[in-house]
Amino acid sequence: MPEQRRTLCNRDCPDVCEIVATVEDGRVVRMQGAKDHPYTRGFLCHRTSRFLETQYARDRLTTPLVRRGGGLEPASWDEALGLVARELLRIRAESGPAAIFHYRSGGSLGLLKHLSDYFFERFGPVTIKRGDICSGAGDRAQMMDFGIEDANDLEDLDASRTIVLWGKNAVVSSPHLLPILRQKRDRGAEVILIDPVRHRTAALCDRVLQPRPGGDFALAMAVLRTMFARGWTVPDARDFCDHVDALEQLATSRTLAAWCAEADVPVEAAEHLARRFGPDKPAAILVGWGLGRRSHGGATIRALDALSAVSGNLDIPGGGASYYFKRRGAFDLSFIRGEAAAPRTVCEPLFGPELLAMNDPPIRAVWITAGNPVAMLPESETTVRALASRELVVVVDSFLTDTARLAHVVLPTTTLLEADDLLGAYGHHHIGVARPVVAPPEGVRSDLEIVQALAERVGLSDVLSGDARAWQQRLVDPMLGPHGVTLDELERAPRRSPVAPRVVFSGRRFATPSGKVNLLHEAPPAPAPAPALRPLWLMALSTERSQSSQWARPEAGPATVTVHPDSAAGVPDGGLARLESAHGSLVVRVAHDADQRRDVALMPKGGHLRDGRCPNALIAARTTDLGEGGALYDEPVRLLAPFAEPGNPA
Ligand SMILES: Nc1nc2c(c(=O)[nH]1)N[C@H]1C(S)=C(S)[C@@H](COP(=O)(O)OP(=O)(O)OC[C@H]3O[C@@H](n4cnc5c(=O)[nH]c(N)nc54)[C@H](O)[C@@H]3O)O[C@H]1N2
Ligand SMILES: Nc1nc2c(c(=O)[nH]1)N[C@H]1C(S)=C(S)[C@@H](COP(=O)(O)OP(=O)(O)OC[C@H]3O[C@@H](n4cnc5c(=O)[nH]c(N)nc54)[C@H](O)[C@@H]3O)O[C@H]1N2
Ligand code: SF4
Ligand SMILES: [Mo]
């Protein structure tokens, strides 16, 4: 008899959907979105709709692998974990725990994944990562400005007259926002997209601006200048913001035309925005994640925060500068000290270069879980060199990724259909429990079971004892207990977090040292045009076909690079070319798109290095101005006909 079982999607995605899985004879035969979940609304995205091919893929790992001679060979758990425990104990004894690096990324957003951090903190504390490849700049920007980072309820958009998608491709990266946007638009809200890239989300917007990449700071200043000039900022801004005068000075230090030229948008567009944030408020900014991934991404997001604040939109219903829903806010993780305890940290976007350079002691062992740094962090070849030269690399994953291929030990783990975990979303305020809808295949263990088995072998079994449910209880009770919310209740159905605000800054309370918004008042350098030699900015962006490096279906052949026809270096639509940066080159297939800017080359993120499809093979490791994020979209590239390269006939 087929049976329907529910769980939550644990992928690194703002939506955290509720999945209804149909299970027959212990096998999932169908996945659908829950109809009664307020955000899932009965549908799943492209990548997760096709997840069963991944779940039952022939190349899924179901046994540990250990490197013998040159290759990775199947081994028992006892052998694999015995080896890892011995080596970790030896390295810790010889060089101290700082010689061990624990790296965890966002393969699963389950809260219990933090227990891997906890184990290594108790075993060490060991070296951990700092900064954040994804959102480091934006996180830091909002913390500086507001002292906390959280977002208004999506329902609060009911009150918005304008919704600005500032650098956000909802169709691809957050599809469950679409029904909400459509509904608000039907009710009269104007939806404005500001993105250098023309993408499918544009079809759903009333206005689309395509500024210069990194031109958003200038655009925000153009809007602010107009608002100051017309008296559209709120008169009591000084009561709740520091540095209003300095911000006004900055915004008025250049003409409207000059700011707009720097942003590469028409003056009329800036004036329209000023009106929407001023007399026509409320205007909500849904701040995307992409615009922060630039050298001055922190300053850009601070400029949007400032615009929201002095225009009087930040603290009112229908306003806000919403970037990140505080997904961990409902759970107690205070027993993990993280950076406060770590002897040393590795900056995530500089993973490869820092690993190679670290001394005293050098990093000798790396444990990687829920991440694929070779494919997803910049400078893939440096990451490869860094990992290939360590004594011990352990990777916990379900597949033999570009990273796992370099490991000495690979430990097979559970998928999203097998997860037993807690989840909060970074795109809405619902929280809940992911329940395994099927048991993992024989030979596969959860991250928790893996670190527990390791803990037993290194004399720390008491530290991690307790099953998944006991740990869930431990994370839930301290925070939700006082609100009368229990784990049992969360198991029955996801619900809105009782600790989430509806309008974060209503009451104008800020957690900054002065209690006021800390307005930015200095300009970063203007975005430079791409150099003449390599005139295109490489933007490797989310595609609906993959979750970062996890593809719904494996893709073969050269990756597609989309450019304006005038920027194709004479390569015809559909033709092959070489895409070259200062770091390397890839053979790609060129697609023409006359709707794109002439200064960008677009490519899907997440391509695999071994298939020659990895954009990070071309991208230098560099950080953002704030928060040690990855400045991933600031790499200049050019297209060359492939036969232009000697020894490489097309
Ligand atoms: N299908 C799919 N969905 C995903 C993911 C995936 O890999 N595939 N990844 C997930 C992850 S890891 C995350 S962090 C989230 C968010 O995933 P992101 O990929 O960050 O999603 P968006 O913020 O929607 O898209 C980034 C947008 O920022 C724009 N952008 C880049 N530079 C600039 C700029 O200078 N100015 C402006 N205005 N815009 C700019 C890009 O053109 C792009 O449209 O979504 C998740 N959702
Ligand atoms: N050039 C370029 N690079 C980028 C980006 C970009 O836009 N352009 N985007 C960046 C962003 S936003 C992000 S968030 C990062 C993402 O970078 P990563 O987090 O490294 O991305 P994934 O490819 O999703 O890797 C996650 C791995 O976790 C595994 N996994 C899934 N579930 C589990 C689990 O429960 N346990 C364990 N142990 N493993 C699991 C998956 O099989 C997968 O191999 O990449 C960044 N890299
Ligand atoms: S990846 Fe995102 S949109 Fe897709 S099912 Fe999971 S939570 Fe929903
Ligand atoms: Mo991300």
Side-chain angles (χ1 to χ4, degrees):
M1 265 294 279
E3 195 190 324
Q4 293 203 321
R5 297 186 194 150
R6 286 175 178 236
T7 189
L8 293 180
C9 180
N10 69 10
R11 291 187 190 261
D12 188 345
C13 171
D15 293 3
V16 182
C17 293
E18 190 174 15
I19 298 171
V20 180
T22 309
V23 182
E24 226 176 298
D25 299 328
R27 204 177 156 92
V28 183
V29 295
R30 191 163 184 210
M31 289 169 74
Q32 291 162 287
K35 291 201 174 71
D36 51 0
H37 187 285
Y39 304 118
T40 306
R41 298 195 189 193
F43 73 96
L44 302 176
C45 63
H46 180 97
R47 65 210 127 124
T48 302
S49 304
R50 281 155 188 76
F51 188 72
L52 290 181
E53 291 168 51
T54 304
Q55 171 77 8
Y56 298 115
R58 273 205 302 276
D59 58 348
R60 177 156 178 210
L61 300 173
T62 53
T63 171
L65 304 173
V66 170
R67 189 164 298 278
R68 292 197 189 90
L72 284 165
E73 288 174 17
S76 69
W77 277 99
D78 222 33
E79 189 190 346
L81 287 172
L83 185 153
V84 174
R86 260 194 328 275
E87 289 295 285
L88 289 178
L89 287 168
R90 184 175 64 84
I91 290 170
R92 185 179 71 176
E94 290 172 2
S95 306
I100 300 167
F101 173 35
H102 176 247
Y103 176 75
R104 179 171 65 82
S105 186
S108 158
L109 294 190
L111 273 295
L112 296 195
K113 300 302 174 192
H114 289 261
L115 295 174
S116 187
D117 310 1
Y118 187 49
F119 166 76
F120 279 96
E121 190 169 301
R122 298 297 298 267
F123 180 75
V126 303
T127 299
I128 60 173
K129 77 153 196 177
R130 72 172 191 278
D132 192 90
I133 190 67
C134 172
S135 59
D139 295 334
R140 183 76 193 115
Q142 293 223 317
M143 290 304 287
M144 279 175 80
D145 294 347
F146 307 139
I148 59 161
E149 197 187 6
D150 206 345
N152 293 353
D153 262 354
L154 287 177
E155 285 71 20
D156 181 59
L157 294 173
D158 280 340
S160 309
R161 292 182 67 191
T162 307
I163 300 170
V164 184
L165 301 177
W166 208 311
K168 206 178 181 72
N169 185 355
V171 167
V172 164
S173 66
S174 187
H176 294 82
L177 193 57
L178 300 176
I180 296 174
L181 291 175
R182 283 200 194 97
Q183 189 191 43
K184 308 307 170 212
R185 206 175 158 212
D186 289 347
R187 289 190 193 155
E190 178 173 310
V191 180
I192 303 178
L193 174 66
I194 302 174
D195 199 312
V197 176
R198 181 84 186 196
H199 47 64
R200 277 161 53 207
T201 305
L204 182 122
C205 300
D206 300 283
R207 273 184 172 245
V208 179
L209 300 185
Q210 265 178 285
R212 186 190 312 286
D216 310 82
F217 182 90
L219 175 56
M221 288 302 135
V223 178
L224 277 166
R225 186 190 206 290
T226 309
M227 300 194 75
F228 279 119
R230 301 201 184 160
W232 288 346
T233 57
V234 279
D236 57 352
R238 284 166 192 80
D239 295 350
F240 68 98
C241 301
D242 286 322
H243 316 301
V244 177
D245 297 321
L247 175 67
E248 179 168 1
Q249 237 172 42
L250 172 62
T252 51
S253 67
R254 302 182 62 187
T255 63
L256 179 59
W259 284 124
C260 287
E262 184 176 317
D264 199 14
V265 299
V267 164
E268 177 278 329
E271 286 175 331
H272 178 79
L273 277 170
R275 182 169 293 281
R276 299 304 298 188
F277 279 87
D280 295 349
K281 68 167 86 61
I285 309 180
L286 300 186
V287 186
W289 295 277
L291 73 173
R293 298 187 195 120
R294 295 197 171 275
S295 304
H296 298 289
T300 298
I301 290 173
R302 295 200 64 203
L304 309 195
D305 291 348
L307 169 58
S308 179
V310 299
S311 64
N313 283 286
L314 183 63
D315 54 315
I316 60 173
S322 294
Y323 176 69
Y324 173 80
F325 291 70
K326 195 173 168 188
R327 63 181 184 85
R328 301 184 197 92
F331 307 107
D332 178 31
L333 292 165
S334 60
F335 58 96
I336 305 172
R337 293 175 56 225
E339 280 185 46
R344 186 165 68 169
T345 53
V346 172
C347 174
E348 187 173 30
L350 307 181
F351 181 111
E354 285 204 351
L355 229 60
L356 284 171
M358 265 181 176
N359 258 311
D360 207 21
I363 298 287
R364 296 175 60 186
V366 186
W367 178 288
I368 296 170
T369 187
N372 184 2
V374 170
M376 297 316 297
L377 299 184
E379 254 176 75
S380 299
E381 297 295 351
T382 313
T383 312
V384 168
R385 265 195 296 130
L387 291 176
S389 50
R390 298 309 102 184
E391 280 164 66
L392 176 69
V393 175
V394 181
V395 173
V396 185
D397 207 302
S398 308
F399 291 91
L400 208 52
T401 62
D402 283 329
T403 304
R405 273 160 206 263
L406 297 169
H408 300 93
V409 178
V410 183
L411 302 173
T413 196
T414 47
T415 65
L416 64 90
L417 290 172
E418 297 148 8
D420 192 347
D421 215 325
L422 294 169
L423 284 161
Y426 61 91
H428 58 69
H429 278 142
H430 264 50
I431 55 173
V433 181
R435 318 278 302 272
V437 298
V438 281
E442 183 70 33
V444 167
R445 297 189 185 178
S446 71
D447 286 273
L448 176 59
E449 290 164 342
I450 292 171
V451 283
Q452 283 176 329
L454 189 61
E456 268 172 34
R457 286 174 167 78
V458 298
L460 286 173
S461 37
D462 52 323
V463 165
L464 278 181
S465 63
D467 62 9
R469 193 171 193 283
W471 279 102
Q472 288 165 18
Q473 195 93 56
R474 177 162 174 191
L475 265 58
V476 161
D477 286 349
M479 305 297 284
L480 298 182
H483 296 269
V485 176
T486 62
L487 181 60
D488 292 315
E489 190 186 337
L490 284 185
E491 283 172 336
R492 282 194 292 277
R495 55 159 290 151
R496 185 180 182 281
S497 163
V499 300
R502 183 167 169 112
V503 176
V504 188
F505 298 115
S506 70
R508 296 182 172 175
R509 278 187 302 275
F510 302 96
T512 52
S514 72
K516 295 183 179 183
V517 178
N518 173 30
L519 295 176
L520 122 154
H521 48 285
E522 274 168 9
L533 176 65
R534 299 198 178 89
L536 306 172
W537 297 114
L538 176 60
M539 295 176 68
L541 301 172
S542 292
T543 157
E544 68 177 359
R545 300 190 309 281
S546 82
Q547 169 69 44
S548 294
S549 68
Q550 309 169 62
W551 293 78
R553 285 199 181 90
E555 304 209 345
T560 298
V561 168
T562 304
V563 290
H564 189 281
D566 294 349
S567 306
V571 182
D573 189 28
L576 288 176
R578 194 164 271 280
L579 181 71
E580 182 214 69
S581 74
H583 275 264
S585 72
L586 295 174
V587 174
V588 298
R589 192 168 297 286
V590 173
H592 290 189
D593 181 351
D595 286 335
Q596 300 306 337
R597 292 180 55 92
R598 288 174 173 77
D599 55 0
V600 296
L602 312 176
M603 190 177 171
K605 81 169 178 183
H608 295 172
L609 186 66
R610 64 176 179 274
D611 300 332
R613 301 170 59 92
C614 179
N616 284 318
L618 307 185
I619 299 172
R622 43 171 104 74
T623 51
T624 51
D625 53 346
L626 296 174
E628 299 190 285
L632 295 168
Y633 308 143
D634 278 342
E635 187 67 45
V637 292
R638 64 173 164 175
L639 282 170
L640 300 165
F643 39 83
E645 193 109 336
N648 208 342

